[in-house]
Amino acid sequence: MQRMDPTKTWRTVEERLDRETEPRRRQILEKVLAHMKAEAAGDLEGLMATLAPDPQYHQWGASPVDNGPKGRAAVEQFYKDFVASGATNLEYDIERLVVDDDCVVTEGIMRIAYPGATLQAMGRVVDDPAAYYLYEARMLVVWPYDADGLLLAEDAYTATDGFAKLHKLTPDELPPALVPTG
């Protein structure tokens, strides 16, 4: 595997934004872009600024149970926990992006560098809590927007358990922010 590149997460959105001429579509693409960059930076205030007053997230995977947070307070806690987990170093390699006046849909491979200590706290077995491990899964995200251009939900559909085959990341696979110096 090559080095994880967090900028891949928004590269396809930026490319589409460069071509998009419709004002409403530009508005929601800009909001997706701001959301992605705030998430990568662990910027809680920036993330919450992209959301409608009562966001309703949905997370679907192998289980038929929706595990997404519902309501502003729950979504904010979800992001606080995510930032605290140390798992904001991710790469969403978007292969397909669809946009209309009310929604953006992205699909591709999600890769996240998870700290071993976080995985242990989640009940996962790792051999080195100081190392980072790769979460990898195909993901489709539906990003619906309200009339003001604010995110109503982040509905994620994950094809596989990204934790099923944990791979310890080597220094040359880590995203730049995690590469040891010295």
Side-chain angles (χ1 to χ4, degrees):
M1 185 185 123
Q2 40 185 316
R3 182 174 307 284
M4 287 177 62
D5 179 4
T7 67
K8 276 187 183 177
T9 302
W10 51 83
R11 191 172 300 146
T12 302
V13 176
E14 287 177 330
E15 289 168 359
R16 176 60 188 267
L17 192 53
D18 285 345
R19 298 189 319 268
E20 187 56 61
T21 59
E22 295 293 324
R24 170 62 178 182
R25 293 179 185 180
R26 289 188 58 78
Q27 177 191 32
I28 65 176
L29 283 167
E30 287 169 352
K31 199 64 75 174
V32 167
L33 183 61
H35 186 90
M36 290 173 160
K37 288 185 174 185
E39 187 172 65
D43 175 6
L44 185 61
E45 186 176 320
L47 275 165
M48 297 309 292
T50 67
L51 302 179
D54 187 32
Q56 302 290 309
Y57 278 35
H58 302 90
Q59 297 172 341
W60 302 99
S63 164
V65 177
D66 169 16
N67 294 310
K70 310 291 186 272
R72 191 163 193 87
V75 171
E76 185 170 9
Q77 188 60 54
F78 168 81
Y79 282 120
K80 284 180 180 176
D81 293 345
F82 181 69
V83 170
S85 78
T88 58
N89 291 283
L90 58 85
E91 170 189 286
Y92 186 20
D93 190 0
I94 298 172
E95 299 167 358
R96 185 173 307 143
L97 182 144
V98 179
V99 61
D100 69 12
D101 290 344
D102 300 310
C103 190
V104 174
V105 178
T106 55
E107 188 240 342
I109 303 296
M110 176 64 77
R111 295 178 183 94
I112 304 173
Y114 263 89
T118 298
L119 291 169
Q120 278 187 329
M122 295 167 58
R124 304 281 176 174
V125 176
V126 296
D127 65 353
D128 183 358
Y132 285 86
Y133 292 81
L134 179 67
Y135 166 98
E136 184 174 51
R138 176 160 293 282
M139 184 177 286
L140 182 137
V141 181
V142 178
W143 312 73
Y145 284 85
D146 69 9
D148 296 322
L150 295 172
L151 190 59
L152 292 165
E154 187 176 318
D155 297 340
Y157 299 82
T158 307
T160 57
D161 178 1
F163 295 111
K165 296 180 182 178
L166 285 177
H167 161 75
K168 187 189 302 185
L169 293 166
T170 63
D172 62 331
E173 295 172 322
L174 290 169
L178 298 178
V179 176
T181 58

